Amino acid sequence: MSEGTEEDFDDFPPRRSRRARILLFSILGVIVAFFLVTLFASLYTDRLWYSSVGYSGVYDTMLWTRVGLFFGFGLLMAISVAVNMVIAYRARPFHRPDSPEQTGLDRYRDAVAPIRVVLLVSVASVIGLFGGVAANGKWRTFLLWANREPFHSSDAYFHKDVGFYVFTLPWLHFVVSFAIAVLVLCAVTAVVVHYLYGGIRLQSSTSERMSTTATVQLSVLGGLALLAKAVGYYLDRFDLVTGSGSVVSGMGYTDQHTLLPARNILVGVAVICALLFFVTAWRRVWLLPGVGISLLVVTSILLGLIWPAFVQHFQVNPNRPDKEAPYIRENIAATRTAYDLNSIKLVKQRTAPATAATVQELIDQTTSVPVVDPSLISQAFAQTQAVYGYYQVRDPLDVDHYPIDGVDRAVVIGARELDQSGINTSDQNWSNLHTVYTHGSGVIAAFANQRPADDAEESGQVQWAQGRDAGQDSLEKSTGHFETRIYFGENSPSYSIVGKAPGAADTEIDLASAGTQSRTTYAGGGGVGVGGFFHKLMYAIKFGDSNFLLSSRVGPDSKVLYYRDPAERVEKVAPWLTLDGDVYPVVVGGKILWVVDGYTTTDHYPQSERDSFSDMTSDVVGRPPGVRTLPTDQINYMRNAVKATVDAYTGKVTLYAWDESDPILQAWRSAFPGTVLDRDQIPSDLLPHLRYPEDLFKVQRYQYARYHVTDANEFFTAQNQWQVSPDAIAKDENQAPIRMFVPDPRTGALTWSLTSSYVPNNKTNLAGFVSADSDPTSPDYGTVTVEQPRGDLNGPAQAYSQLVSDPRISRKTQSFRLGDATPSYGNVVSMPLASGMMYVVPVYAARQQTSSSSYLTLRYVMVSYGSKAGIGNTLVDAISDMVGNTPPPANNGGDHNGGHHEKNGTHNGAKSAMARAHALLEKAQRDFAAADRALADGKGAEWVRLNHQARAEVAKALNLLK
């Protein structure tokens, strides 16, 4: 064989030890086989799971999109690198001058010669692999671009549709960045090959340190890279309206007057540099591109850093309010649109004297105030209603509303889920964990206002709407019988094997209605069959558990249930949604459904304020964040696009479009056709239990604290800036939103709402009470209202401080401390009334269950109303205490003559007013009782007369207290 032939790529490597080669290939074969089998098992079982839930189309679209991107972009990068390596090798000089440098490289050339083909393929494949992985991770960006929809609104500076920034610009950025990476890697690998084979000689004494072919190849690659960079500079111009500004997000004065012209100039400079590189391919002189690159670097520094800093310091900062005002106005308009703040209604709090006609409203408001705090009472639920140690409820609990005896009642509700950590350690074997203890059982619910099913006067104890004991079934009477077994929940095991052979005994532990254990077998439609050997093998590999193959519990009719967390299931079938952190159970249609709110979000809405999603949704409850799909934590647009449900028994996932006008949702529905049902397909019995989602509410209240101001100058000075009311106890955390019935400030009708409050920035008095209409059956659903007080009212933290420092209340709660039980205070519930703001604070104390466990129970309720405070076993008792025992105004001094008599007269007048008010309330209570007796005796006219009379007496009492 000739010498020239030996240097071709077709050469075979020299012979090696046969045993060593067999051992090497055997090890590599085992590794590759293990990887391929594991990968196949993962893909195959995922395909089975998606088919079992009816979303195989989602899996296929994701798989083939990612495969296409991986191989398309990976092959593009690999082939580009390989071609340039081959070009560099083919153009190697056949006559290399003798030099120490070339002598040293001969050893490397000799080592590389036998494995040139393998090395070429390996290097190109590895580089292509990285390129494919990078493209594979952009499948969401690609699908949004491929299915883009217009927003039908444009930005103020480039006048492009918002859809260009949300859908097109991110994909173009990736393509340009990928092209630059490909060209740079081609140049790097070409340089290495040219250097190895003498095309580039660093130690040459002559001027020919680079061969003609190397010069042409590298200059062309450099020119193409600079053209791609020019396109990148052009696209960077549009990033100015989505970037972080000095005052607000988006374009600012310095951006428009320095950075925008600078990037336009850099486009031209990059094109000129590219042309200089192309000229080098012809003239083969590297001086020109060197000058061009230097010019590009200097221009970038001068125009991109120094000039903007100069303009900012000498032009903008001395006149900042005037210079930035137009950009602040655009930011305010865009932010209010992107977060849907324009629909928020800012109203003044109503003030009117109480009358007989309005006092019933006040009575209704009082009965609806939630005094059962879902964040503190979960242990009481678990200790008194979970029955067995392996059942638990999620903390914090959820709040919903159901029609009980004809009255829409707020209830605190939790699913009784399986908690395998409560199983005796000695019983925690594979069979028990995966085939016996498989599911939870039912829901536990308590009336949020501490009143029994008939909504009569509070009893002072938690009133169960659904529990384990006889008579604790008001919820079930309202909804009808429902399937109680919970195989899919927030605390479900990773996987369970269910099903049995015909005639075999039931093995799964269940909670019977009488609170005793029973046995059952899963008969739902969920799960994947694992009866055949192949499926057993695949799942044994997937879960790394040989018991799938060895255990007799895995029979011909067995199914495996996995991906059981409701949020995880929704994320699997809708991987483009950002999910709310609060997943809650509802009882409808004879089953328990988990409801998951899904959002479409982006960080590319032009001029909108970009903030951390975690910061905006953080509060004292500390609920773990939901699934997020953006690569960063920053967002500047949000819509509640989807309402999803997961059947707790079958695991069925259903997606309903909620905000059908959202262009991002429309794009995803186009990418995954048939996966999201229309809004009008939501079942009528489910609709009342859908609600305004917490994370959206938190984001909106966070942004509205600043963006209720629409004047640019006022916004800049931040003189009217609010903040979310801090929690009264954990002062460094935001107050958690509260769900309850509140009076509509326009009509006075009670509305199921999600509520919170504002205080002025760095102050504690009340700035506003915010409520979002959460009744989806109402045309006003989603209407967010902010009521501003007409006077200087206490904020939640001030009201709490007033209550805990009140001497009478301190004496009342002293009994806790004497008994070594520290009181725990619940949410400060803000209730807007016609004549002011009432604050209600439940007081809990630990009740000892055993020598080692205890749980909190509601012991007192505190009430603050203006300067008055009260405490009682119930809310009614607390209000009565506030009315009847309010101390007279303190004597702050004065003269001892006329002034003294005047103050004494005021003192006596206050006492007289309190006494008359208390007497009127007692009479009203007697009249209400008499009205109830008249109604029971069938005397309707008497009932009407007595009720009207009692309401008039309450109205007079309230007016005396003002």
Side-chain angles (χ1 to χ4, degrees), residues 623-636:
R623 194 188 303 274
V627 174
R628 278 171 279 176
T629 54
L630 291 182
T632 69
D633 186 44
Q634 304 285 314
I635 68 167
N636 66 359

Side-chain angles (χ1 to χ4, degrees), residues 169-345:
L169 187 59
W171 177 248
L172 293 180
H173 271 307
F174 169 73
V175 171
V176 170
S177 298
F178 187 87
I180 294 174
V182 168
L183 293 167
V184 169
L185 288 171
C186 288
V188 170
T189 52
V191 165
V192 171
V193 175
H194 278 301
Y195 178 70
L196 180 64
Y197 288 97
I200 297 176
R201 298 182 292 275
L202 300 180
Q203 298 178 4
S204 174
S205 58
T206 67
S207 60
E208 291 293 330
R209 294 191 175 186
M210 187 177 296
S211 67
T212 299
T213 305
T215 301
V216 171
Q217 183 179 9
L218 295 179
S219 60
V220 169
L221 290 173
L224 292 175
L226 283 166
L227 282 180
K229 185 62 179 175
V231 176
Y233 280 132
Y234 176 78
L235 295 178
D236 288 345
R237 298 160 63 249
F238 302 110
D239 291 336
L240 294 174
V241 296
T242 59
S244 300
S246 59
V247 179
V248 292
S249 295
M251 185 82 77
Y253 181 90
T254 302
D255 298 326
Q256 187 176 23
H257 292 85
T258 61
L259 289 179
L260 181 58
R263 290 177 184 179
N264 288 329
I265 293 171
L266 287 171
V267 170
V269 173
V271 171
I272 292 172
C273 289
L275 294 176
L276 293 176
F277 268 86
F278 292 143
V279 169
T280 300
W282 172 48
R283 297 292 302 272
R284 297 189 295 279
V285 177
W286 285 100
L287 177 62
L288 291 178
V291 172
I293 291 294
S294 301
L295 176 63
L296 184 62
V297 172
V298 171
T299 304
S300 299
I301 295 173
L302 288 177
L303 299 184
L305 296 175
I306 297 177
W307 184 27
F310 179 87
V311 170
Q312 181 71 33
H313 183 75
F314 291 101
Q315 278 190 260
V316 178
N317 288 346
N319 308 284
R320 207 168 189 183
D322 298 328
K323 295 290 187 182
E324 299 289 1
Y327 307 96
I328 294 175
R329 279 194 292 270
E330 294 298 336
N331 172 265
I332 291 173
T335 302
R336 289 174 65 91
T337 300
Y339 292 104
D340 197 20
L341 306 182
N342 286 320
S343 60
I344 296 180
K345 302 181 184 301

Side-chain angles (χ1 to χ4, degrees), residues 708-789:
H708 69 278
V709 177
T710 56
D711 180 79
N713 290 323
E714 186 180 352
F715 184 95
F716 181 83
T717 59
Q719 61 188 8
N720 194 23
Q721 185 173 323
W722 300 340
Q723 68 183 69
V724 177
S725 179
D727 184 75
I729 300 173
K731 300 184 185 300
D732 294 333
E733 299 287 346
N734 288 336
Q735 179 189 54
I738 299 174
R739 293 190 186 275
M740 62 181 183
F741 290 98
V742 298
D744 188 306
R746 296 158 296 175
T747 66
L750 288 180
T751 305
W752 180 243
S753 303
L754 183 59
T755 68
S756 185
S757 56
Y758 288 118
V759 296
N761 202 27
N762 298 320
K763 296 182 180 179
T764 56
N765 57 296
L766 186 68
F769 175 79
V770 55
S771 62
D773 189 323
S774 293
D775 181 4
T777 63
S778 166
D780 293 325
Y781 169 85
T783 300
V784 181
T785 304
V786 178
E787 295 183 58
Q788 286 185 285

Side-chain angles (χ1 to χ4, degrees), residues 463-518:
Q463 298 296 302
W464 300 107
Q466 191 70 31
R468 65 175 184 172
D469 298 330
Q472 297 176 352
D473 57 355
S474 300
L475 180 61
E476 186 171 0
K477 288 179 179 177
S478 169
T479 62
H481 178 72
F482 58 91
E483 173 60 63
T484 59
R485 288 172 289 181
I486 300 175
Y487 282 87
F488 298 87
E490 296 178 281
N491 203 39
S492 295
S494 59
Y495 73 89
S496 293
I497 307 296
V498 297
K500 65 174 182 177
D506 295 331
T507 60
E508 300 174 49
I509 290 289
D510 193 30
L511 177 64
S513 58
T516 59
Q517 286 186 356
S518 64

Side-chain angles (χ1 to χ4, degrees), residues 902-958:
E902 181 181 351
K903 292 181 182 293
N904 191 47
T906 303
H907 175 89
N908 292 332
K911 288 186 65 177
S912 176
M914 291 297 173
R916 294 200 304 274
H918 194 266
L920 283 167
L921 288 173
E922 288 181 341
K923 189 174 185 307
Q925 190 170 8
R926 291 194 298 270
D927 286 340
F928 277 126
D932 291 338
R933 290 193 297 271
L935 182 62
D937 294 337
K939 300 176 181 178
E942 184 71 3
W943 175 78
V944 172
R945 185 187 67 80
L946 288 169
N947 262 297
H948 182 77
Q949 179 175 305
R951 289 197 296 270
E953 289 157 354
V954 173
K956 292 177 182 178
L958 289 174

Side-chain angles (χ1 to χ4, degrees), residues 46 117 154 168 181-182 235 238 269 287 333 397 451 496 521 558 570 578 582 588 593 659 696 763 776 887 936:
D46 276 353
V117 174
S154 303
T168 304
V182 168
L235 295 178
F238 302 110
V269 173
L287 177 62
L397 298 166
R451 292 170 179 262
S496 293
T521 295
S558 294
V570 173
T578 293
D582 183 17
V588 293
L593 295 179
D659 188 348
L696 176 60
K763 296 182 180 179

Side-chain angles (χ1 to χ4, degrees), residues 22 94 192 279 325 340 343 411 525 532 535 552 573 597 607 646-647 663 710 729 736 742 867 898:
I22 292 175
F94 288 95
V192 171
V279 169
D340 197 20
S343 60
V411 297
H535 281 189
S552 60
V573 304
D597 281 286
Q607 286 301 118
V646 178
D647 192 312
T710 56
I729 300 173
V742 298
S867 61

